[in-house]
Amino acid sequence: SSNGALCSLVLSPDRKMLIGVMNRALVEKDLESGEPGESHVTPPLTFGRGALSPNGKLLATIDGGGNLKLWERNSGRLRASLRAHRDGGYHYVSFSPNGSLIATAGHGDNTLRTWDPNAGLNPVWAQEISGFPGIGFQALAFSPDGKTLAAAAVRDSTVYLYSADDGRPKRIFNV
């Protein structure tokens, strides 16, 4: 596709729309009718991976260069943009269940970061895996109650659990 690879899929909260986050496009599909929904194609911007806010109004994307962007889903308007991580490999993004935090991580650095989507992506906290340069993270997930953030390391699938509120380490284990 001229829009690049399909990097992630997210369902709208009402489960009626599927949003494909591609390298150079955001494409929506109505799951009931099969018809295309809104498509926000904005070359030369890049999107990469994405996550939808719980209310479905905001979409956070992070590209291969570590650039985090916050979009209004319905209008396609860019609300905020910043360099969240350095270049290198894939990056990941996730909204907390209540929408008050965005978490980011990636292969290129050892840092897990959280951001406030309601305050222009102001940083909330960051945690770094020490002792293993360049191992980075390969997956992120918030607990259903939003109190814990889990991140899996690239090298050995070690899972790190953090308090979502303040980044305090809670537990480390291998899968």
Side-chain angles (χ1 to χ4, degrees):
S1 164
S2 63
N3 292 322
L6 179 61
C7 299
S8 56
L9 294 170
V10 290
L11 282 170
S12 62
D14 61 8
R15 293 185 169 88
K16 292 182 179 178
M17 297 297 289
L18 179 67
I19 301 160
V21 182
M22 302 177 79
N23 291 114
R24 291 177 292 281
L26 305 176
V27 181
E28 296 190 16
K29 186 77 137 180
D30 185 307
L31 292 175
E32 292 176 5
S33 70
E35 294 296 316
E38 293 293 318
S39 178
H40 304 292
V41 181
T42 56
L45 296 177
T46 58
F47 296 100
R49 302 204 187 268
L52 192 62
S53 64
N55 66 9
K57 294 180 179 180
L58 299 174
L59 181 75
T61 62
I62 192 163
D63 64 24
N67 300 298
L68 175 63
K69 296 175 182 170
L70 187 63
W71 307 87
E72 290 179 2
R73 182 176 146 233
N74 290 334
S75 70
R77 184 176 79 86
L78 180 64
R79 290 184 58 179
S81 177
L82 57 81
R83 180 92 182 258
H85 298 273
R86 68 176 183 256
D87 290 348
Y90 298 102
H91 293 88
Y92 303 91
V93 61
S94 182
F95 266 94
S96 63
N98 68 4
S100 66
L101 287 176
I102 294 173
T104 62
H107 289 194
D109 63 26
N110 296 3
T111 308
L112 173 65
R113 301 179 190 280
T114 59
W115 314 89
D116 184 344
N118 301 309
L121 295 176
N122 284 341
V124 177
W125 58 262
Q127 279 289 350
E128 184 175 2
I129 302 173
S130 59
F132 300 100
I135 71 166
F137 293 98
Q138 64 183 357
L140 293 173
F142 281 93
S143 62
D145 65 7
K147 294 181 179 182
T148 301
L149 177 59
V154 171
R155 176 175 283 168
D156 60 3
S157 298
T158 299
V159 175
Y160 296 80
L161 300 180
Y162 298 98
S163 167
D165 291 333
D166 58 13
R168 182 181 40 82
K170 294 173 106 174
R171 187 169 177 203
I172 299 172
F173 60 90
N174 286 77
V175 179

